[in-house]
Amino acid sequence: MGPDVPLLNDYKQEFFLKRFPQTVLGGPRFKLGYCAPPYVYVNQIILFLMPWVLGGVGTLLYQLGVMKDYYTAALSGGLMFVTALILQMTNLYAKQKTVTVERMQIQNTLTDEDEFEFSSCVGSETVKFIIPGKKYIINIVFHSLLAGVLCGLGTWYLLPNRITLLYSNIGGTVMIFVFGWVTICIGEYSLIINTATETATFQALDTYEITALMRPFYIFVFIAVDLAHRFAVNTPILEQTNQILHIIFLFLPFLWAMGILPPLDALFLWGMEQLLEFGLGGSPMSSNTKLLVMFLISAGTAIASYFIPSTLGVILFMTGFGFILSLNLSEIGFAFKHTMISHLASSKSKNMHRGLRIQFGWREFIFYLTVLTFALIEASLLHQFAGFSSFSQASPQAIASYILIILLIIMWILREIQRVYLFGVFRNPFYPKDVRTVTVFMEKQRRLMKVGVVRRILLTLVSPFAMIAFLSLDRSLQNLHSVSVCIGFTRIFRMVWQNTENALLDIVVVSVAQMLVFNPDLWWNKSLDTGIRLLLVGILRDRLLQFISKLQFAIAILLTSWTEKKQRRKSTATLITLNVIFFPILLTFVAISAILSSPLLPLFTLPVFLIGFPRPIRSWPGPVGATACVCSDTVYYQQMVPSLAVALESALAAGSLGLSLPGSHYLCRFQDRLMWILVLEKGFTYCGVNIKGLELQETSCHAAEAHRVDEIFEMAFEHQEQTKILSPNHHFGHILTPCTVLPVRLYSDARNVLSGIIDSHENLKHLKDDFIKVLVWMLVQYCYKKSKTWESMGNADNSKKGSFPEYQHGAAVERSRPLREEDSFSVDTIEDWTDDSDIFDLEPSGRMKDRKEPGQWGTTPKVHLSIPGSVDTQSQDIPQEMSPEDKLYRAVVLGLPAVDKGKQQEVLPRIAFSCSYSELLSIPEEWRTAPVPTSKVNEMRQRFPEEWYHFILSQLDFFHLKEKPSNLLEDLMKDKALKDLYVHGVLSCCFGLFGLDNTVPAPSHVFRAYTGGIPWSVGLDWLTGKPELFQLALKAFRYTFKLMVDKASLGPVENFKELVNCLEEYENDWYIGLVSDLEWQQAVLQEKPYLFSLGHDPNMGIYTGRVLTLQELLVQVGKLNDEAVRGQWANLSWELLYATNDDEERYSIQAHPVLLRNLTVQAADPPLGYPIYSSELLHLPLF
């Protein structure tokens, strides 16, 4: 797609032009897209102005001195409440009338989908169109009551005398009165008449009609400040605030239309998150429930500290609760719960507890208890004996400050030298070069691992104790019952453990400022205690980092919109010019979004920047990992995530991933896999992350961005310049900055073209002989394992129930009869024939594609028959190399005599074995009933690999037999009857898979035999009637094919021992089948060491082999610009939820190699994004 693809298609443009005016005005629909009677518009205008009319009545009575202001407000509110109830009851009546008498309407498919047919000014259709009504009865009452309160307080808020007292300006009073009532009318209309779709949409569905409350809520906030100013006496700050808010009140419709003010659910979640993080020292949480619970507990702790009567008690309380609340309380509680259950319940619960002890057990409990004890002892002793001295150059607190400065410098250096780039700009000379394998990487990184251990100790143990020493020595703690002390110190005593690195930076900044500014009269020293200083520094630090990240994001969009040719649109030059001219406004937008901690929203990802509404740091409302677009490739992520999580633990603890905070995003790359990591929580020695897996089937956009990711990682880790010490990062400014590589146990994926192997006549010539050998080995192993099973079941009294083989054979025959009846010709067998099918085809078109391996679903495969009487002709599914005899056989096969279904199957005579133990290895009777001529049996006896058969028997041990003769194996080898059984069994399978001819199979036939999609034949019909034998034959053929590939690649098999070892390796360490098999996915999850699959590319006409190998390999990790991700997700939310621009070829989803736009869209939570895997919250221990 070109860069000038439409931002919105024609239909969406028309839809947007109808929706946006409705959003601006709060719900009235004046642009319908079709002709409507004038009364539809007049009615909406009357309803829109109704609050102003009712409020105007009260205002007029007040201005004339008839009523006092609060009576005026009550009158207007009461009138509005009654009016709102009448309107809602009118809607209920219209709905009831429509249900009672329903008019038959002929729908015109050429009209718009939202067109209404209006009958009269107050007809039911008109009423339902203008007033859609509420879903719930309780909302009818509640919203009507709220509308009355809003109108009453709004009248009070906009009384002209009151506005004149604030501004002393008649012109200003008129402006505020007029446009203020417009704001109130918009809020009332969206509340009681028709709720407009908001540009600021957080939830995809408004189940409980919360959206209608959004605009009235913000009006109430402004009115609340005015009420506070009315009843407060001599408060200049409130007066100034009220004056400012009266002016901002006029711009509320603009803020609503631009989507800057958040919806209520996002507002409260964002507010709790900000207060928890910056006011109470906590961390953002991964779920709404955890956020609410943690916020309430943390707020309760801060309030409780206010009432403690002694300074020592305050110190101990803050230190203890700060440490406890910084732990992973949800996992500790979960482990404690199962510990209690394990002592009272069954062994199942005990087993569950053993799994949980990995994350939290006695070792962790003792560690936490020890740290808490030492922290309490240190804080109490230092505060008691050295906490009363003022700050000076030689005071104990100053000495603690020097130690903290040194610790900050050391930890910063230790963190940076573990990353591949210093500051993301210059190549790190200490980082290992040209790392490609795990062995080399671990060898070269041994020194950096020691550095990581030192940093982990400094971060986990040394730094928190040093900061507690600094805080315990502060004189501000002598002020009991101080709100500022309770808030500031409760926050920092917790932040010491919750976010150690940022707390260390904040304390160092405050202590350095304290050393440089000794003037006691300065407001910094006079009005603020240490806790509040630390709070202000923490907020400034966070907002400054956000400002820098947002500015980098904005500049990246500006530059790449011109430098990337595929992003250069016709409007690009104009947009860049406007951004340069109005650059101060752009900086203002960036600063406001940073202050609000809201995303900077690039509209359609163009250099048109808006301020997104504030939302929680995780960006999405749903629970973590609840949804994903699961497909067959999901299992590869499911297999690798546990190992990746273990590797992340050490990397995060060592600091090689940089400063990881809640809201940090990382991108991992290995071959065709892309893992998106989002940090959700962080506390003392733990981190909560969510890992998503992106699709493996790369589209053109996905492939373009993935290729750029590969380039960046290769430049950082593989193609490094050996001569330059500080070589620059050639991709500086990209939103992805490489960090390190992680050793992860996962599957490497190798795909090879099998040309020269599968089409080699020499290889195919030996295929049948090898198949016979593999099948003999498999049949012997099958019968031997069966004998073990019967022996273990204690089947010693075979004389009462018949011998083992007879009982087994009888059961097999009984099982097979209904299966064969299912395979008979029925309606199901002709359902694949269509009107477009050629009656001369061997089978319905496309049928072989859809044929599943029988064992895959646990059912017997459906056998399709050709039309009786038709002549079989050459088909695409028939090998071109087929012999004339085989073609003749196919042509006349349907002329064979019919089988009498009512006739009982003939019971074969019992085999007379020369060795009594031969019954243990006897194959079921029905497996040797294939309708093959005697000549073929004799021919198979000649081809049967007797030496191989004897060798296999010699490898059996029969340890499970309690009593056995010493010459057991020799007797088995001499038993000709047993050998004849295997000859019949092998011949039956060959007859089913290859037919009766001895020609060399064609590559196409080999492929169809491997996939289980062989065209119908009498032999296949018989074989599929024995599902267990069919599965064994199919498995043997796949092993044979893999053996053929290995022999062609690695050389021939030297002897029987090597062949047995090879087959045993296939059995134990390999899964050989198809990617589409259910067993393939199970093998991946069970971590089979190797998997092999055969594929065919019909376009290229080539056969391919795919090998998955489980091994520890290096996964490349890079850090993403957090604000670039949040900004693109904000645009995605606006574009899909408001503009409904779900076009798969829209501009904002096209490849952008610098912003990784397509990958970022994929990584969003469904339904807006489409990751194929999303983990639940993963708790990573970091100690």
Side-chain angles (χ1 to χ4, degrees), residues 1100-1111:
M1100 302 287 292
I1102 57 175
Y1103 296 93
T1104 57
R1106 182 180 182 185
V1107 178
L1108 299 185
T1109 305
L1110 183 65
Q1111 53 188 321

Side-chain angles (χ1 to χ4, degrees), residues 622-630 690 692 1165-1166 1174-1177:
V624 174
T627 55
C629 303
V630 178
N690 166 241
K692 294 176 182 174
D1165 280 9
S1174 182
S1175 72
E1176 296 181 347
L1177 178 67

Side-chain angles (χ1 to χ4, degrees), residues 292-310:
L292 177 61
V293 171
M294 185 58 72
F295 174 76
L296 294 176
I297 294 174
S298 303
T301 303
I303 294 170
S305 65
Y306 179 83
F307 298 99
I308 297 176
S310 69

Side-chain angles (χ1 to χ4, degrees), residues 258-310:
M258 292 295 102
I260 297 174
L261 297 179
L264 297 186
D265 48 357
L267 175 67
F268 286 110
L269 292 174
W270 169 81
M272 282 194 296
E273 192 175 84
Q274 293 294 305
L275 287 174
L276 179 62
E277 184 175 2
F278 299 104
L280 300 169
S283 164
M285 291 287 132
S286 59
S287 69
N288 300 339
T289 305
K290 289 176 68 175
L291 178 62
L292 177 61
V293 171
M294 185 58 72
F295 174 76
L296 294 176
I297 294 174
S298 303
T301 303
I303 294 170
S305 65
Y306 179 83
F307 298 99
I308 297 176
S310 69

Side-chain angles (χ1 to χ4, degrees), residues 767 770-779 781-782 785 853-856 927 989 993-994 1006 1008-1014 1023 1026-1044 1062-1074 1077 1079 1088 1092:
L767 183 68
D770 288 340
F771 172 69
I772 293 172
K773 290 182 181 178
V774 174
L775 186 58
V776 169
W777 177 82
M778 198 158 286
L779 289 173
Q781 292 297 318
Y782 170 82
K785 289 176 182 177
E853 183 178 323
Q856 184 170 339
W927 288 11
C989 294
L993 294 181
F994 298 105
V1006 171
R1008 287 198 294 272
Y1010 184 95
T1011 58
I1014 309 171
L1023 186 59
K1026 318 293 180 296
E1028 205 168 4
L1029 179 61
F1030 179 75
Q1031 284 301 304
L1032 283 175
L1034 184 63
K1035 188 177 180 181
F1037 185 85
R1038 291 174 173 178
Y1039 282 18
T1040 305
F1041 182 82
K1042 181 66 174 67
L1043 180 64
M1044 181 184 77
C1062 184
L1063 295 177
E1064 288 177 349
E1065 182 185 352
Y1066 292 163
E1067 185 71 23
N1068 300 325
D1069 298 338
W1070 286 77
Y1071 175 76
I1072 302 173
L1074 296 174
D1077 291 345
E1079 290 84 353
K1088 276 275 188 181
F1092 176 83

